[in-house]
C-alpha cells in the first residue's frame, strides 16, 4: 500500500492478485476529501444582505402590511440580516473507503462484489435562532430573529454493498448487471444555493434522518448488441438479407429502484419569521401508506402540532414512489457519411412519479383533510420515439 503522490487529496489504494493460477483480484482504497465548494454557497448568500445589498425579512401582519408599493417597510419585527455564519465555521471533509473482489466466472463473464463507505464530518447545518412553536410566547422578545444561522456541526454516513456482473463483448453481445443496496443518514444536507433548515434550533439532533438521496435498492442493466457478429449472428449472410441484418447496434438502459425519502411539511411560517417549509406535522401513529381515494399517503396519519409544541414527524420519514426507466436505441452506418438512428425514451410508456404531495393542511372536513397531501405529482414524460437520418457531406 502506498500513497498516490499525484492525487489532489490524500488517498491510499491497493490491488492484490494471486500468483498461482487464480483470476481473483482484490482492490481497496481510502481517501480524505475536503468540501472547499462550501465557500461558494456561503458567499452567494452573504452578498444578498447589507452592506452589499438592501434586503430584509419581515413577518407580514396588519401592523406591518407588506405590499409591492412599500416592499421595504421598517418595523420592530424587521430583520436586515438574512444569514449568519458561525465564526468557528470549519470546512467539512469526508472519509471514503472501499474494498472489492473481482472473479472471472467464465472466459467472458466477470463478477465483482464491493463494499464502500463514506463518513462526513463538519457538515453544514442551518437553523432559525430564537424561534418558538406555534401557540407559544417568545422567550426572548428582544432577541434577533428572522435570519438563518449556518454552522458546521453536522455529520453524515453512507454504507453500500454492490454486486456487478459484466459480460464482455462476445458474440455481438455485452451486458452489465448492477445491484446496489445502501443506506445514508445525516442531520444536515445542503441543497444547491439553499439549506435544509432545522425545525427546532434547540434540538438539532432531531433533524437526524435518512439523506434526501438515500435509495435503498437500485438495479441497473446496460445492454448492447451488434448484429452480424459471429457465425450464429449472421456474419456469413450476404445479399439483401445481409444488407438488412448486419451492422446494427442496439442499446438499452434499464433502471429500477426504491423511492427517495422526503419530509411531511406543515405549511405555516415559523413563529417570529416569514419562513415556511421548516415545520412538520404531528405523527398520530397511523399507517402512513394506508391511503384511499386515489392518494398514496394517508392524511389521517398526521395532525396539526399541539399548541406550544413542535411536530414530532421525522425528517425524511416518508419513502417516495418507486422509480423505473427504460430507454433504448438502434443505429447503423450504411457508409462513411450516412447514419440512421432510432431512439426511444420510456419504452414501456410506464408512468413515473418523482414524488407525492407532502404538504399537509388539516381540515375539519374529513373528506378534505390533508388538502392535496398524498396525491401523485406530475408524472414524467410519456414514450417518445425519434428517428434520425444523418448525411455528412
Amino acid at each position: 500500500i502506498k500513497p498516490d503522490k499525484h492525487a489532489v487529496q490524500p488517498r491510499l489504494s491497493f490491488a492484490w492478485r494471486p500468483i498461482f493460477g487464480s483470476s481473483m483480484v482484490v482492490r481497496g482504497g481510502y481517501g480524505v476529501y475536503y468540501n472547499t465548494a462550501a465557500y461558494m454557497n456561503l458567499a452567494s448568500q452573504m452578498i444578498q444582505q447589507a452592506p452589499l445589498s438592501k434586503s430584509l425579512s419581515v413577518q407580514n401582519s396588519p401592523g406591518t402590511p407588506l405590499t409591492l408599493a412599500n416592499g421595504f417597510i421598517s418595523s420592530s419585527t424587521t430583520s436586515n440580516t438574512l444569514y449568519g455564519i458561525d465564526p468557528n465555521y470549519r470546512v467539512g471533509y469526508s472519509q471514503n473507503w472501499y474494498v472489492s473482489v473481482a472473479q472471472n466466472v467464465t472466459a467472458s463473464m466477470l463478477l465483482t462484489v464491493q463494499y464502500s463507505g463514506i463518513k462526513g464530518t463538519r457538515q453544514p447545518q442551518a437553523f432559525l435562532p430564537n424561534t418558538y412553536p406555534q401557540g407559544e410566547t417568545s422567550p426572548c422578545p428582544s432577541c434577533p430573529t428572522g435570519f438563518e444561522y449556518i454552522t458546521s456541526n453536522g455529520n453524515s454516513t453512507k454504507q453500500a454493498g454492490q454486486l456487478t456482473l459484466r459480460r464482455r463483448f462476445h458474440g455481438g453481445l455485452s451486458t452489465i448487471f448492477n445491484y446496489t443496496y445502501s443506506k445514508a443518514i445525516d442531520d444536515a444536507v445542503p441543497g444547491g444555493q439553499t439549506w435544509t433548515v432545522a425545525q427546532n434550533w434547540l434540538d438539532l439532533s432531531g433533524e437526524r434522518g435518512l439523506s434526501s438521496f438515500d435509495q435503498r435498492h437500485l438495479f441497473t442493466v446496460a445492454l448492447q448488441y451488434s448484429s452480424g457478429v459471429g457465425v450464429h449472428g449472421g456474419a456469413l449472410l450476404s445479399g439483401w438479407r445481409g444488407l438488412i441484418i448486419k451492422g446494427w447496434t442496439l442499446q438499452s438502459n434499464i433502471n429500477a429502484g426504491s423511492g427517495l425519502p422526503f419530509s411531511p411539511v406543515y405549511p405555516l411560517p415559523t413563529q417570529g419569521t416569514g419562513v415556511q417549509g421548516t415545520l412538520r406535522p404531528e405523527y398520530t401513529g397511523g399507517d402512513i401508506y394506508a391511503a384511499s381515494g386515489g392518494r398514496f399517503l394517508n392524511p389521517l396519519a398526521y395532525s396539526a402540532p399541539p399548541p406550544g409544541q413542535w411536530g414530532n414527524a421525522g425528517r425524511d420519514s416518508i419513502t417516495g414512489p418507486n422509480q423505473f426507466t427504460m430507454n433504448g436505441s438502434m443505429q447503423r452506418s450504411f457508409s462513411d457519411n450516412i447514419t440512421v438512428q432510432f431512439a426511444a425514451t420510456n419504452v414501456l410508456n410506464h408512468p413515473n412519479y418523482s414524488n407525492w404531495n407532502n404538504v399537509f393542511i388539516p381540515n375539519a372536513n374529513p373528506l378534505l383533510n390533508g388538502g392535496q397531501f398524498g396525491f401523485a405529482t406530475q408524472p414524467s414524460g410519456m414514450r417518445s420515439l425519434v428517428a434520425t437520418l444523418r448525411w455528412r457531406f
Side-chain angles (χ1 to χ4, degrees):
I1 303 175
K2 62 180 181 179
D4 187 348
K5 298 181 180 179
H6 301 286
V8 177
Q9 304 292 348
R11 181 177 60 187
L12 294 173
S13 61
F14 68 89
W16 174 75
R17 184 190 300 270
I19 299 176
F20 301 101
S22 175
S23 57
M24 177 183 293
V25 176
V26 180
R27 294 184 174 89
Y30 172 83
V32 180
Y33 302 87
Y34 289 86
N35 182 25
T36 56
Y39 288 124
M40 182 176 297
N41 284 341
L42 296 175
S44 65
Q45 297 184 81
M46 294 301 291
I47 62 175
Q48 299 178 38
Q49 61 184 8
L52 301 177
S53 65
K54 185 176 182 180
S55 59
L56 57 85
S57 174
V58 60
Q59 185 174 8
N60 193 28
S61 66
T64 57
L66 188 62
T67 64
L68 293 177
N70 189 8
F72 293 93
I73 189 172
S74 297
S75 70
S76 59
T77 62
T78 299
S79 174
N80 293 317
T81 300
L82 303 182
Y83 301 98
I85 301 176
D86 185 352
N88 296 317
Y89 186 93
R90 296 293 182 269
V91 171
Y93 64 92
S94 67
Q95 303 175 69
N96 299 25
W97 61 89
Y98 82 96
V99 176
S100 68
V101 178
Q103 171 71 54
N104 280 324
V105 180
T106 64
S108 59
M109 197 80 71
L110 177 66
L111 177 65
T112 303
V113 179
Q114 178 175 302
Y115 160 75
S116 60
I118 302 176
K119 174 64 174 66
T121 306
R122 296 176 184 167
Q123 302 298 302
Q125 287 182 315
F127 55 87
L128 303 172
N130 305 315
T131 55
Y132 46 94
Q134 298 286 336
E136 186 65 57
T137 57
S138 174
C140 182
S142 61
C143 293
T145 186
F147 65 96
E148 295 181 14
Y149 193 73
I150 301 171
T151 66
S152 56
N153 299 322
N155 292 278
S156 64
T157 180
K158 180 181 180 180
Q159 312 286 333
Q162 190 175 81
L163 181 67
T164 303
L165 185 62
R166 181 191 301 269
R167 186 184 192 275
R168 302 183 182 93
F169 189 80
H170 178 72
L173 178 66
S174 66
T175 59
I176 299 177
F177 297 89
N178 185 281
Y179 170 73
T180 302
Y181 177 80
S182 64
K183 186 174 183 178
I185 300 176
D186 63 65
D187 54 15
V189 181
Q193 300 296 320
T194 61
W195 307 89
T196 300
V197 180
Q199 174 181 240
N200 184 0
W201 70 287
L202 296 176
D203 183 21
L204 298 182
S205 61
E207 298 301 305
R208 188 166 180 81
L210 296 176
S211 302
S212 59
F213 55 84
D214 176 71
Q215 192 171 27
R216 196 59 45 85
H217 305 278
L218 178 61
F219 179 70
T220 62
V221 180
L223 305 172
Q224 178 174 322
Y225 175 73
S226 297
S227 64
V229 176
V231 176
H232 299 288
L236 301 180
L237 289 177
S238 59
W240 65 270
R241 294 180 179 179
L243 179 64
I244 295 175
I245 296 177
K246 290 182 181 180
W248 289 98
T249 299
L250 290 80
Q251 295 179 318
S252 179
N253 294 283
I254 303 173
N255 294 274
S258 53
L260 299 174
F262 61 95
S263 304
V265 173
Y266 186 59
L268 288 182
T270 302
Q271 192 73 16
T273 74
V275 179
Q276 288 188 339
T278 64
L279 302 183
R280 298 189 290 271
E282 186 80 1
Y283 177 54
T284 62
D287 188 346
I288 300 175
Y289 308 102
S292 61
R295 299 178 191 261
F296 291 89
L297 299 176
N298 179 18
L300 298 179
Y302 298 100
S303 64
Q309 298 182 26
W310 303 104
N312 63 1
R315 182 181 71 87
D316 287 341
S317 55
I318 300 176
T319 301
N322 294 333
Q323 304 296 308
F324 178 84
T325 59
M326 179 178 181
N327 302 321
S329 67
M330 59 183 299
Q331 65 178 16
R332 178 181 175 180
S333 296
F334 288 90
S335 64
D336 293 337
N337 57 354
I338 298 178
T339 302
V340 175
Q341 182 182 41
F342 302 93
T345 59
N346 194 6
V347 175
L348 301 180
N349 205 27
H350 178 76
N352 292 294
Y353 299 99
S354 59
N355 214 334
W356 296 315
N357 191 302
N358 64 333
V359 179
F360 175 78
I361 303 176
N363 194 295
N365 187 338
L367 297 177
L368 301 177
N369 192 32
Q372 296 296 313
F373 179 81
F375 285 107
T377 57
Q378 184 176 0
S380 59
M382 64 180 66
R383 181 193 297 121
S384 174
L385 302 175
V386 179
T388 303
L389 173 61
R390 183 175 291 108
W391 177 32
R392 300 181 181 87
F393 57 91

